[in-house]
Amino acid sequence: MDTRQNPGLGELLRYVSELIEQGADAQYRALSLNYRARYTPVLRALRAGAQTVTDITGRTRLTQGAISQTVALLEADGLVSRHALDDGRKSGIRLTTAGIALVGRLERHWTATFAAIDRLEEDIGYPVRQVLVAMAEALEREDFSARVMAARTELEEENTHVDHT
């Protein structure tokens, strides 16, 4: 008998994320890489021409804080370096020689990863990435807290209506 509760959205998202991270980590180990999956969006953005944390934020769906933390880790691992920009207000970020070599090694892996995502979506019959993008956009329009409050108010109004009949 399955005794698990009906899972909430956060629980399911964390569980799926853990499963994906475990698979990604196994692949990085198979490639003999000491690598963090969180590096991928930043490295891909840098490869695509991003030069600052702001540029990376604009190319990803990550917060500026998360990107800044990841850039600091990449810098500590010798994969990126900071340099002064002409305007003097921001520091630029560029791949080091080691970072360029790593991205070169990861290119085929990233292509295979996206092919695996396509197959996963075929397997389950849902365009997961489209659903997640639509969910993110809806939550940007109205955050989850506001949605919970609206649902709570609606439920309270229904209960009040039932109590008075």
Side-chain angles (χ1 to χ4, degrees), residues 27-28 31 33 35 39-49 95 98-116:
Q27 286 299 304
Y28 297 130
L31 293 169
L33 293 176
Y35 183 79
Y39 289 175
T40 300
V42 174
L43 292 177
R44 290 180 61 228
L46 291 170
R47 178 196 66 188
L95 293 168
I100 292 167
L102 176 62
V103 167
R105 284 188 68 193
L106 289 171
E107 292 281 349
R108 289 176 71 198
H109 171 71
W110 290 337
T111 299
T113 297
F114 278 94

Side-chain angles (χ1 to χ4, degrees), residues 9 11 15 35 42 47 55 60 83 97 100 103 116-117 125 150 165:
L9 182 60
E11 179 182 346
Y15 181 61
Y35 183 79
V42 174
R47 178 196 66 188
D55 291 345
T60 66
H83 62 281
T97 302
I100 292 167
V103 167
I117 293 167
T165 55

Side-chain angles (χ1 to χ4, degrees), residues 40-90:
T40 300
V42 174
L43 292 177
R44 290 180 61 228
L46 291 170
R47 178 196 66 188
Q51 297 180 10
T52 64
V53 168
T54 302
D55 291 345
I56 297 166
T57 302
R59 292 174 185 257
T60 66
R61 292 199 175 257
L62 301 172
T63 65
Q64 191 161 343
I67 291 169
S68 293
Q69 290 174 357
T70 301
V71 167
L73 292 169
L74 285 161
E75 191 173 20
D77 284 349
L79 299 172
V80 300
S81 63
R82 295 180 191 265
H83 62 281
L85 294 178
D86 293 338
D87 68 7
R89 292 177 294 145
K90 297 178 185 175

Side-chain angles (χ1 to χ4, degrees), residues 73-163:
L73 292 169
L74 285 161
E75 191 173 20
D77 284 349
L79 299 172
V80 300
S81 63
R82 295 180 191 265
H83 62 281
L85 294 178
D86 293 338
D87 68 7
R89 292 177 294 145
K90 297 178 185 175
S91 62
I93 302 163
R94 68 173 68 124
L95 293 168
T96 62
T97 302
I100 292 167
L102 176 62
V103 167
R105 284 188 68 193
L106 289 171
E107 292 281 349
R108 289 176 71 198
H109 171 71
W110 290 337
T111 299
T113 297
F114 278 94
I117 293 167
D118 290 341
R119 288 188 185 112
L120 175 62
E121 289 179 332
E122 288 174 19
D123 184 34
I124 64 173
Y126 293 100
V128 175
R129 286 173 291 180
Q130 288 178 18
V131 170
L132 291 173
V133 166
M135 182 183 277
E137 290 171 350
L139 290 169
E140 288 167 354
R141 285 189 305 274
E142 182 181 11
D143 70 28
F144 196 66
S145 176
R147 291 170 186 274
V148 170
M149 289 301 297
R152 181 179 292 152
T153 300
E154 192 174 297
L155 289 170
E156 288 171 359
E157 288 173 0
E158 286 176 11
N159 286 339
T160 300
H161 177 70
V162 169
D163 290 343

